[in-house]
């Protein structure tokens, strides 16, 4: 039986086997594969884009703060109107 995955015109034989080997390498504590993948790929990308990521987080935080302030003001207005209608 020949296991072949077609990606466009490219054929990669036994890709599932390679995936299984990679997954085992990542999960086994003896190889520390996941740690190596993190430091070689993920940490590098995050470090290179740290300022951009921090700016995006700050923008989202500011937007959420503004929206929550508006919601709070609307809630306060609703309560004030409700209380005024109760007095009448």
């Amino acid at each position: 039986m020949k296991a072949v995955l077609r990606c466009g015109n490219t054929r990669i034989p036994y890709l599932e086997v390679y995936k299984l080997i990679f997954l085992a390498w990542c999960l086994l504590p003896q190889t520390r594969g996941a740690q190596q993948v993190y430091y070689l790929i993920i940490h590098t990308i995050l470090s290179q884009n740290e300022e951009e990521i921090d700016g995006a987080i700050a923008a989202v935080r500011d937007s959420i703060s503004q929206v929550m302030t508006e919601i709070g003001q609307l809630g306060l207005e609703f309560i004030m109107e409700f209380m005024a209608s109760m007095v009448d």
Side-chain angles (χ1 to χ4, degrees):
M1 178 190 285
K2 191 173 187 181
V4 176
L5 176 70
R6 287 182 183 254
C7 297
N9 292 334
T10 306
R11 294 173 28 167
I12 303 172
Y14 304 105
L15 181 62
E16 291 80 17
V17 175
Y18 296 137
K19 285 189 213 178
L20 183 61
I21 291 170
F22 175 74
L23 185 61
W25 176 75
C26 283
L27 293 175
L28 287 172
Q30 296 88 345
T31 62
R32 296 182 185 213
Q35 183 179 7
Q36 292 178 35
V37 168
Y38 174 79
Y39 281 110
L40 289 174
I41 299 171
I42 298 170
H43 180 72
T44 304
I45 293 170
L46 290 176
S47 296
Q48 291 171 351
N49 299 303
E50 183 174 5
E51 291 179 13
E52 187 177 333
I53 293 168
D54 289 343
I57 290 171
V60 168
R61 182 181 55 232
D62 293 342
S63 295
I64 290 173
S65 176
Q66 184 179 15
V67 168
M68 293 306 292
T69 301
E70 292 173 9
I71 290 173
Q73 289 172 347
L74 289 173
L76 185 59
E77 289 173 10
F78 174 77
I79 291 172
M80 296 296 279
E81 289 175 13
F82 180 75
M83 296 297 283
S85 70
M86 296 293 284
V87 172
D88 295 336

